[in-house]
Amino acid sequence: MRRTLVWRGIDEPRMEIARAELDGGELSANGTMIGAGYELRYELEPGRLQARVVDGPEVDVGLDGTDYFDLNFSPLFNTLPLLDGLEQATDFVMSFVVVPSLEVVRSEQRYEPLGDRLVRYSSGDFVAEIEFDDDGFVTRYQHLAERVR
């Protein structure tokens, strides 16, 4: 299944467009994020994430013992933990890419299904509810982004 998805920021001016493909429970995508002062382009394939800020840093990273990737400010990457079917609260360790510096850090994150395609996300002191569509893509990420239809 192929989808083109667009989100806009709720908390600050920001946009993302992603061309995503789900194939056998694997997500591949390429996209562009635009925020205040940066434009970022990324390519996600199973086990690898490449990202670059236009006229800035680049990163090419593997999972290196983590569960999934998480790209700062990108709702697309919250789909990854749902691909195997999230049936109970689950803790993950992510390769988290900070935007716009593209520093890669380990991030402990918890996804807790609340029913009706709603998940409580937490990492450290940060907690937000994330709504998903039937395919597992974010429609609204509390305080961060909402999908444009």
Side-chain angles (χ1 to χ4, degrees):
M1 167 192 23
R2 290 186 179 158
R3 303 268 304 266
T4 298
L5 306 154
V6 178
W7 293 274
R8 66 176 164 221
I10 294 172
D11 59 336
E12 62 183 60
R14 183 175 48 250
M15 294 289 294
E16 177 179 2
I17 183 169
R19 289 166 194 83
E21 182 173 355
L22 278 174
D23 183 17
E26 301 262 329
L27 177 64
S28 299
N30 62 64
T32 301
M33 296 171 54
I34 299 172
Y38 69 88
E39 178 180 344
L40 178 142
R41 297 198 178 125
Y42 64 83
E43 291 185 30
L44 171 68
E45 53 192 56
R48 176 141 318 279
L49 173 62
Q50 298 173 343
R52 71 178 180 86
V53 173
V54 174
D55 297 325
E58 298 182 17
V59 68
D60 184 345
V61 63
L63 288 173
D64 300 324
T66 61
D67 298 306
Y68 299 105
F69 299 107
D70 191 357
L71 183 62
N72 198 187
F73 305 122
S74 172
L76 176 73
F77 287 77
N78 296 99
T79 294
L80 293 170
L82 275 66
L83 292 178
D84 292 329
L86 187 70
E87 296 180 11
Q88 61 187 17
T90 306
D91 296 317
F92 298 99
V93 177
M94 306 296 202
S95 287
F96 185 82
V97 180
V98 180
V99 173
S101 71
L102 301 189
E103 175 188 6
V104 180
V105 298
R106 293 175 65 87
S107 172
E108 294 181 7
Q109 300 179 3
R110 183 174 185 83
Y111 284 73
E112 179 183 353
L114 302 175
D116 199 28
R117 299 177 303 203
L118 187 64
V119 171
R120 179 176 295 122
Y121 164 88
S122 59
S123 181
D125 293 336
F126 181 82
V127 178
E129 291 184 356
I130 305 174
E131 298 173 27
F132 294 86
D133 65 17
D134 290 335
D135 297 321
F137 293 108
V138 173
T139 57
R140 184 170 176 83
Y141 187 128
Q142 185 180 25
H143 309 300
L144 181 77
E146 62 187 1
R147 199 155 84 211
V148 177
R149 298 202 176 257

